[in-house]
Amino acid sequence: MLAYLDAVSARVCAACVGWVDRIGCRDCGSHEQLIGSQCGSCRLSERLAELLDDGTGTVHDRLQPLRDYLLSVKDPRTAVRWLKRDPIAPTLRSMARGQLPIAHTTLDELPLSMRTRHFRRLLISANVLPEIDVFLNELELALAQVLTTIPEEHARLIRRYHQWHTLPRLRNRPKPMTTGVFANRMRNVRLIAAFLAWLQEQHLQLPMVDQAVIDRYSASTSGRDELRQFLTWAARSGLCVKVEVPRVRNGPPQAAMSDEALAELTGRVLADVALSPVGRLLALFAIVYAQPIRSSVELRARGGGTA
Ligand SMILES: [Zn+2]
Ligand SMILES: [Zn+2]
């Protein structure tokens, strides 16, 4: 509580000296959720009027629902803080001024992060942007990023596999993609890229792959389930001969899990520990897509005694 000195220099609170109005909101007099000289609602409304101004002194038509949506949150101060974060404010401002389209493609240009995802979901919830499968969209973006880091011919092959094998199956799912499936798909891509890189090191190409090559590779690596799917597809597409990828013997049970089962487990773990550091870490892995999420899941599952 603010303290003031009274006539005899004793410390008293503002209410006692009758100055309550002086410390209320300068716009509406409210004492609720104050931020500096304003209450939360007045501050938020002022911020939004400035940020979403289309240049004529009024909020952009298409961003009006976002304004209403944010003004309806329980504690406007959280919205004020959120709006301050980069890249939220500059993006909204540019959208309002017509410098960036009010479209998903604008968010596709932002860094892949939890914050961008939350931003996108918020614009969808506020009916500013149409509903899309957010993780599927992120998978496309993450894949495009990864493919720029590997040799062009490997990228072309993986892109083709994704387009003709993975994507149709993902699109046919009845429910939107989960973070577990997302992480799993990205792991898959990395494993195939690693296999193609290994082939190159051996001065081999996909059409030259035979059973002896696969046996040699399988002996030195995990992730055979993923490789099996890829090679089955490649053989069916006439890119290599049909080969048998050995199944893992006496491995941990998780090693033999299907993609779907692993994804479900990952999703469950994430849901269980959503707020713990481990949960955060796993969620982070899902976003940065370059981490061994399967081993993380194994550790958790064993620790919990449910494996
Ligand atoms: Zn008092
Ligand atoms: Zn106010």
Side-chain angles (χ1 to χ4, degrees), residues 86-249:
D86 200 47
I88 312 299
T91 305
L92 285 175
R93 186 179 283 113
S94 301
M95 282 177 163
R97 307 292 196 282
Q99 291 147 0
L100 287 174
I102 302 174
H104 282 292
T105 51
T106 293
L107 301 200
D108 291 350
E109 301 295 321
L110 300 178
L112 272 176
S113 67
M114 288 270 222
R115 187 173 292 171
T116 301
R117 183 183 305 151
H118 177 237
F119 189 19
R120 192 190 296 275
R121 288 204 197 282
L122 198 123
L123 291 175
I124 293 171
S125 300
N127 285 319
V128 171
L129 293 183
E131 180 91 48
I132 58 164
D133 187 332
V134 172
F135 276 119
L136 188 56
N137 185 63
E138 284 188 19
L139 181 68
E140 295 290 298
L141 298 171
L143 182 67
Q145 274 181 20
V146 167
L147 295 189
T148 63
T149 66
I150 64 173
E152 174 59 34
E153 51 186 306
H154 299 177
R156 232 191 339 261
L157 201 54
I158 292 177
R159 163 65 57 194
R160 194 168 149 191
Y161 175 61
H162 177 75
Q163 215 71 48
W164 296 103
H165 177 81
T166 312
L167 207 52
R169 295 159 97 226
L170 290 174
R171 287 211 174 110
N172 281 336
R173 295 169 64 90
K175 280 188 263 176
M177 209 165 109
T178 61
T179 181
V181 176
F182 173 85
N184 210 22
R185 287 294 118 199
M186 288 314 293
R187 178 174 185 274
N188 202 317
V189 166
R190 289 196 325 277
L191 287 166
I192 296 165
F195 171 67
L196 296 175
W198 179 85
L199 278 186
Q200 194 170 37
E201 275 167 33
Q202 312 289 313
H203 307 289
L204 291 169
Q205 286 174 341
L206 204 51
M208 298 151 76
V209 163
D210 59 16
Q211 193 59 48
V213 169
I214 290 305
D215 289 347
R216 196 142 49 90
Y217 184 71
S218 301
S220 66
T221 187
S222 60
R224 297 176 206 173
D225 285 347
E226 289 83 356
L227 190 60
R228 185 178 303 111
Q229 283 183 33
F230 172 71
L231 288 174
T232 303
W233 168 83
R236 232 187 285 127
S237 309
L239 299 169
C240 66
V241 298
K242 203 164 179 302
V243 285
E244 204 53 52
V245 180
R247 301 201 173 259
V248 182
R249 278 161 297 153

Side-chain angles (χ1 to χ4, degrees), residues 52-81:
L52 307 181
D53 181 358
D54 63 5
T56 68
T58 48
V59 168
H60 191 293
D61 273 358
R62 287 198 44 212
L63 296 172
Q64 190 69 47
L66 175 67
R67 180 185 178 276
D68 298 344
Y69 185 87
L70 288 175
L71 283 173
S72 73
V73 300
K74 212 167 175 185
D75 186 346
R77 290 173 300 185
T78 57
V80 170
R81 280 194 293 272

Side-chain angles (χ1 to χ4, degrees), residues 12-13 15-16:
V12 289
C13 79
C16 288

Side-chain angles (χ1 to χ4, degrees), residues 25 27-28 30 39 42:
C25 171
D27 296 337
C28 71
S30 161
C39 72
C42 289

